[in-house]
Amino acid sequence: KARTRSGIKSLKSLGVDSYDFHDLPCGRLDQIPQIAINKIMETAIIDFEPEIVFTHSSTDTNMDHRIVNLCTLVAARPTTNKSIKKIYSYEILSSTEWRFDCVFRPNYFLSLDQSHLSAKIKAFSFYTSEVQEYPHPRSFLGIETLARYRGMQCGTDLAEAYSLIRDFEI
């Protein structure tokens, strides 16, 4: 599939060499029993034992993203997994900011430098079916604009914003 090939190229450009794709139907996760998605995630968490987990925002307009968020929280619940210390949600251009009734509220910022932004734009460039012309948010300038806006919010030139969902640093 084209999206999987794009994902692999993008991950490799970022130096990621360990990943799994499960070929779930795009735009139709609501047709899959939630328990099945939960189990995929629980297995990955058990195998990988991450200390930090990132997931989509629960405020996205995209239903698949909201389902992934919910399933992540179920799979990462503290009663079943002890390795996870923190869970963050992140924003996705043209999905998170278009939910006007329930907006993304970041409470954690990560400063970026120009090399980080360039790597992010390069990784995105492999998703040729997703790249749009500015002023669409999923444009190269849209990515840079968001990074600059988030930087202004936290007093740096460039940044990424996250929402800390859970912190179990004990």
Side-chain angles (χ1 to χ4, degrees):
K1 293 183 175 184
R3 191 173 272 191
T4 300
R5 287 190 302 273
S6 296
I8 291 169
K9 288 177 185 176
S10 179
L11 289 166
K12 286 185 177 186
S13 80
L14 295 169
V16 177
D17 57 6
S18 178
Y19 45 80
D20 290 315
F21 289 92
H22 294 277
D23 295 321
L24 300 177
C26 181
R28 296 190 313 271
L29 290 186
D30 59 335
Q31 298 174 12
I32 298 174
Q34 182 181 334
I35 189 75
I37 301 169
N38 294 349
K39 290 296 180 191
I40 290 170
M41 291 184 178
E42 284 176 358
T43 299
I45 289 169
I46 289 167
D47 292 347
F48 187 66
E49 296 182 320
E51 290 187 9
I52 301 173
V53 171
F54 294 88
T55 187
H56 296 80
S57 172
S58 63
T59 64
D60 278 8
T61 56
N62 184 307
M63 178 60 78
D64 280 0
H65 296 180
R66 293 196 310 269
I67 290 170
V68 167
N69 172 276
L70 180 60
C71 292
T72 300
L73 297 180
V74 170
R77 59 194 182 274
T79 56
T80 58
N81 187 287
K82 304 298 183 192
S83 70
I84 299 172
K85 306 289 187 242
K86 296 181 184 205
I87 301 175
Y88 294 94
S89 67
Y90 52 84
E91 57 192 333
I92 295 181
L93 285 167
S94 82
S95 184
T96 311
E97 82 279 7
W98 285 352
R99 179 97 185 261
F100 299 110
D101 63 331
C102 185
V103 299
F104 180 70
R105 299 190 188 279
N107 56 15
Y108 182 82
F109 293 85
L110 182 63
S111 180
L112 302 177
D113 62 27
Q114 190 59 49
S115 68
H116 294 124
L117 180 59
S118 295
K120 186 174 184 172
I121 289 171
K122 179 181 178 185
F124 175 65
S125 74
F126 293 108
Y127 286 93
T128 54
S129 66
E130 298 291 326
V131 176
Q132 303 291 321
E133 292 295 321
Y134 186 81
H136 194 282
R138 285 195 189 171
S139 63
F140 300 128
L141 186 53
I143 293 170
E144 180 180 348
T145 300
L146 180 61
R148 291 196 180 284
Y149 173 68
R150 293 306 187 194
M152 287 188 305
Q153 288 184 304
C154 66
T156 188
D157 188 38
L158 303 166
E160 286 187 334
Y162 300 89
S163 180
L164 177 63
I165 298 171
R166 188 173 86 202
D167 185 349
F168 281 163
E169 288 289 333
I170 48 175

